[in-house]
Amino acid sequence: MDEGGAPLLPDSLVYQIFLSLGPADVLAAGLVCRQWLAVSRDEFLWREQFYRFYQVARDVPRHPAATSWLEEFQRLYDTVPCVEVQTLREHTDQVLHLSFSHSGYQFASCSKDCTVKIWSNDLTISLLHSADMRPYNWSYTQFSQFNQDDSLLLASGVFLGPHNSSSGEIAVISLHSFVLLSRVRNKPYDVFGCWLTETSLISGNLHRIGDITSCSVLWLNNAFQDVESENVNVVKRLFKIQNLNASTIRTVMVADCSRFDSPDLLLDAGDPGTPPCRVFDLGSDNEKEVASPAPAHAREGLRHFLDSVLEGRAQPQLSDCVLETKVAELLAQGHTKPPERSATGTRSKYLIFTTGCLTYSPHQIGIKQILPHQMTTAGPVLGEGRGSDAFFDALDHVIDVHGHIIGMGLSPDNRYLYVNSRAWPSGAVVADPMQPPPIAEEIDLLVFDLKTMREVRQALRAHRAYTPNDECFFIFLDVSRDFVASGAEDRHGYIWDRHYNICLAKLRHDDVVNSVAFSPQEQELLLTASDDATIKAWRSPRTVRILQAPRRRPRAFFSWLASQRR
């Protein structure tokens, strides 16, 4: 300032100088005088600082809920859970999965030590209960999920058995008494299982038909298996789906469609130049989108060829695997129940799972609509409502990701599906279902809009995995209102911003990070679970400052008043 109090430098020049500074220096310079303070809060200045510091593409607009660029800069800098505040070491082996209760007051963890542990989520996390599943012949626990009212916990595990055994079991634990209420068989074990309603859960079973052909049956089970009334079914078959080329249904989850029209965060469409994943809308009324069966003359030609082979009049030029698949496809034609259409205005749910059609590695996402009358164990048992010729149920939608799927998670509003995938080489062709293409070390985090059944945004990247196809394992991800997080085999957990598609934090462990979980009530708290047998709790810098701030002492008068009342 000059002697008259007028600024020596015009605002425009101060603005240009501040553009060359970093965010911290701009804020520090704003403390010098009122003129600099005003310039240091300029919206255009912080817009430039934001795009430059976070390296966001310039065509990405500001978050729709933000009111200023400075506020948005602070949100990404100060509210990401990246400060380690506690390490839990109660597990004695690899920790595979984490899940929060809907209230956020509790969470559960599963581990190779064959226990399910239930924790109290307070400022300092403490162990409430540990359930040892070894007496039930389990090898380890792998997955858990709280029901909607947080009264029951679903825990999924793997049976002891031969190395190639695929059998597992689902247990239901009361969260009031920690008593084991029921157990349900689950095959293959990586179906995991999930809740459909507060008292009914979905499990799987697998029936082999040929060397590479099978049938997956998805069951709806009552959580209370001791029901003895003849009018109440304990179990009911939901769907029966044909599997080709050694594929199976795995990783089931349920999406509630009721919030599709009011999502927490609306994501725009992806880059038009990015090749989309193939989506087959099998239940659509639009003829262009329907994956129709082969023409009648092609089916007849295949049938005549197979008749000639069976009668010895022709020698097959196809491998045993290809021949078996063609026979299975032919047998399924005309014996598959088409998708049911829900009534207008009816709120249904989607059953989502990994599957495939070319090889055993999961490379497709199957989606099957669950109608209201199917959400109870009451009614026909064992598919009695199915026509005598309908052996299988057709899927409503199939998404092909052209890669090995190693993780899936839903946004809190259930509209967006996030998928961890390790891509196959471009143009890869599967010649043998038992030899899938090699998979990339870089993990793609894909995003699909379940309302439009289309991929949105460009894939998120940063995390990596190194195991080959036959050793690949699930890496659980989680999604909050603003962030998405995932584990990785590179000993880190990762956090991205959902709106800006940028990686915001790397969270260090000493081994593979298998699972991550945001608190559903406080996205500034994240848990990570690792092969190093630990669970780490991470909070945002803002929350840490609040928790560590010294509490104000009571004023002397009130201290004296309190002493007089004793």
Side-chain angles (χ1 to χ4, degrees), residues 199 222-235 377:
T199 58
N222 195 314
F224 304 98
Q225 294 286 309
D226 58 351
V227 175
E228 296 180 356
S229 169
E230 62 180 11
N231 298 319
V232 179
N233 300 326
V234 174
V235 63
T377 54

Side-chain angles (χ1 to χ4, degrees), residues 91-94 96 109-117 130-142 157-158 160:
H91 280 291
T92 59
D93 207 335
Q94 302 169 358
L96 303 180
S109 58
C110 296
S111 168
K112 283 287 184 76
D113 65 12
C114 207
T115 64
V116 181
K117 297 190 187 298
S130 181
D132 185 359
M133 302 305 292
R134 282 171 290 196
Y136 304 102
N137 204 35
W138 285 25
S139 176
Y140 58 89
T141 61
Q142 60 174 352
V158 180
L160 283 169

Side-chain angles (χ1 to χ4, degrees), residues 444-520:
D444 294 331
L445 185 48
L446 311 172
V447 190
F448 297 96
D449 185 339
L450 293 178
K451 181 179 180 181
T452 64
M453 289 298 163
R454 292 292 179 263
E455 186 176 3
V456 295
R457 298 300 182 88
Q458 189 173 357
L460 302 172
R461 294 188 177 94
H463 49 330
R464 306 183 75 85
Y466 308 108
T467 49
N469 257 314
D470 55 350
E471 298 176 18
C472 218
F473 53 86
F474 221 66
I475 294 177
F476 294 94
L477 59 94
D478 198 21
V479 190
S480 70
R481 185 188 68 243
D482 296 313
F483 306 125
V484 55
S486 174
E489 292 184 40
D490 58 14
R491 303 183 178 186
H492 288 88
Y494 290 83
I495 303 175
W496 295 264
D497 184 82
R498 293 178 60 197
H499 177 73
Y500 297 109
N501 265 36
I502 54 173
C503 184
L504 295 171
K506 291 177 64 175
L507 313 175
R508 176 76 180 176
H509 270 271
D510 294 331
D511 211 328
V512 172
V513 178
N514 295 303
S515 180
V516 297
F518 286 102
S519 167

Side-chain angles (χ1 to χ4, degrees), residues 310-386:
L310 292 174
E311 295 171 5
R313 291 183 283 106
Q315 293 296 320
Q317 302 297 315
L318 307 174
S319 67
D320 291 344
C321 288
V322 174
L323 188 60
E324 179 181 324
T325 299
K326 289 189 175 296
V327 170
E329 289 176 335
L330 182 63
L331 292 177
Q333 290 172 3
H335 298 282
T336 300
K337 183 180 180 181
E340 292 185 54
R341 308 307 299 170
S342 60
T344 304
T346 301
R347 293 298 184 183
S348 60
K349 295 184 178 182
Y350 282 152
L351 180 65
I352 302 169
F353 46 84
T354 61
T355 181
C357 64
L358 302 175
T359 177
Y360 68 83
S361 67
H363 56 278
Q364 292 181 327
I365 300 164
I367 299 175
K368 183 68 179 170
Q369 190 176 45
I370 306 176
L371 301 177
H373 71 271
Q374 298 171 315
M375 296 183 196
T376 172
T377 54
V381 186
L382 300 178
E384 290 173 1
R386 185 190 314 270

Side-chain angles (χ1 to χ4, degrees), residues 55-70:
Q55 299 181 0
V56 176
R58 295 277 174 162
D59 59 344
V60 178
R62 193 173 66 192
H63 191 289
T67 58
S68 76
W69 284 103
L70 175 57

Side-chain angles (χ1 to χ4, degrees), residues 14 18 21 23-41 45-46:
V14 176
F18 281 10
L21 302 179
D25 293 331
V26 169
L27 293 174
L31 301 176
V32 172
C33 64
R34 275 181 278 188
Q35 180 205 14
W36 287 19
L37 176 62
V39 177
S40 70
R41 297 298 189 268
L45 173 65
W46 280 102

